[in-house]
Every structure is written in C-alpha cells, then in structure tokens.
Amino acid sequence: MATLLYIITEGVQGGPFELSEGTHILGSAEGAGILVPDTTISAQHGQFTVGEGQIVYQDLGSQNGSFVSEQPITEAVALSAGHVLQAGNIHLQLVDDPNVVESIKRETAVISAGPKAIEPTDFGSKDSITSPFATKSSGWLKIYLIATTIIGLIAIGALVFILFMN
C-alpha cells in the first residue's frame, strides 16, 4: 500500500495525496502533483521520490524552506510514516494506513496556519469600515490650528512693520 500525505494545518484544504512509486512535486503552481495553493509554498517547493520502499524528500530551493522536526532541510532526507514535514507555513504528515487518519488528527495538535490579521470586528466594532484605531476628529483641534495660524501671521506682520519703520 502506498503512503499517503495529509495536510494537518488548520483551515488548509487538500489531499490526501498518494505517494506511489516515482517522483511527486509539491508546489503551489498548477501541474504540481501535490498542489497546495498557499502563498508560503513556492511554485515548485519540494520533491518526493518514492522507490525501493523508501520516501526521500528534497527542497527545490524554495523561498520559505522545508523542515522536518523543526530542522531546515538542506539536502535530501529519508522520511517514513508518522513524520511531519513543514513546507512554508503548511504542515503535512505521512500516513501508511488511511484507517488511522482520524485518530492521528485527534492525537496530533492541529497546527494553525499562522497569525491572522487584526480586524476591526476583533475589538467590538460592528462596522468593518470604522476602525477602532482611526483618529477622532475634534472641532477644538481645527479652532486651535486656525487661531495659531492667525497669531503667527500677526506676529510676522508686526515684525515686518518694525523692521521697515526704522
């Protein structure tokens, strides 16, 4: 039976991908055998080579790298069922028996895709256009700026008058 590759990052769809004999490209571009449409995955991120009962993964010079056990992959590495591979921000797990996938998902902490952007609704604002970080307009600020400008102009006028009257 072929080994299956499951995406275990929360909220990312795709798979399972069957790693049968041969070469399988992991990437975000159409035509990749293991297509993961995520911005942290390069078009041709990595390559699985399956043969002689062995699975070898090699990073193809991806921008965000590949990791096994939080160690960056700098050369081809042999993998087996149970290994968790990180490509960009996406975590994938190798599984031999599809019957145990549900128990693996329960046992393995589902990994979040990363920090999410702060939204105005995160702070109780019901209007998505109004941000709680927006500066509030004050009528006193406008009056202050007008008064300061007028006083400045009067001071300059008085200085010019004094200089030319002497």
Side-chain angles (χ1 to χ4, degrees):
M1 169 175 262
T3 301
L4 299 173
L5 184 66
Y6 284 87
I7 296 174
I8 60 172
T9 302
E10 184 179 82
V12 179
Q13 300 299 315
F17 304 100
E18 185 176 335
L19 296 178
S20 56
E21 294 277 328
T23 301
H24 308 275
I25 300 293
L26 166 70
S28 60
E30 291 295 326
I34 303 170
L35 178 63
V36 181
D38 185 82
T39 58
T40 64
I41 302 289
S42 297
Q44 291 192 344
H45 198 96
Q47 173 180 297
F48 290 92
T49 304
V50 182
E52 300 175 13
Q54 193 174 32
I55 300 170
V56 176
Y57 178 81
Q58 181 175 0
D59 188 89
L60 298 176
S62 65
Q63 183 173 351
N64 293 316
S66 299
F67 304 84
V68 172
S69 301
E70 298 182 7
Q71 298 300 314
I73 295 175
T74 56
E75 55 188 46
V77 62
L79 301 174
S80 59
H83 272 118
V84 174
L85 169 75
Q86 179 182 346
N89 287 340
I90 305 301
H91 292 78
L92 306 117
Q93 186 165 24
L94 295 166
V95 178
D96 270 343
D97 184 2
N99 296 323
V100 299
V101 171
E102 286 308 313
S103 65
I104 287 174
K105 285 184 177 180
R106 283 191 294 272
E107 292 170 11
T108 306
V110 176
I111 301 164
S112 173
K116 103 177 174 63
I118 295 174
E119 300 291 334
T121 55
D122 292 343
F123 297 98
S125 174
K126 303 230 184 307
D127 183 7
S128 61
I129 296 173
T130 304
S131 169
F133 301 108
T135 57
K136 299 201 175 185
S137 177
S138 169
W140 288 108
L141 179 63
K142 290 177 186 172
I143 293 171
Y144 172 77
L145 290 174
I146 292 170
T148 305
T149 304
I150 291 172
I151 291 171
L153 289 173
I154 292 171
I156 291 172
L159 184 63
V160 169
F161 180 77
I162 292 170
L163 289 175
F164 287 112
M165 291 309 285
N166 287 334

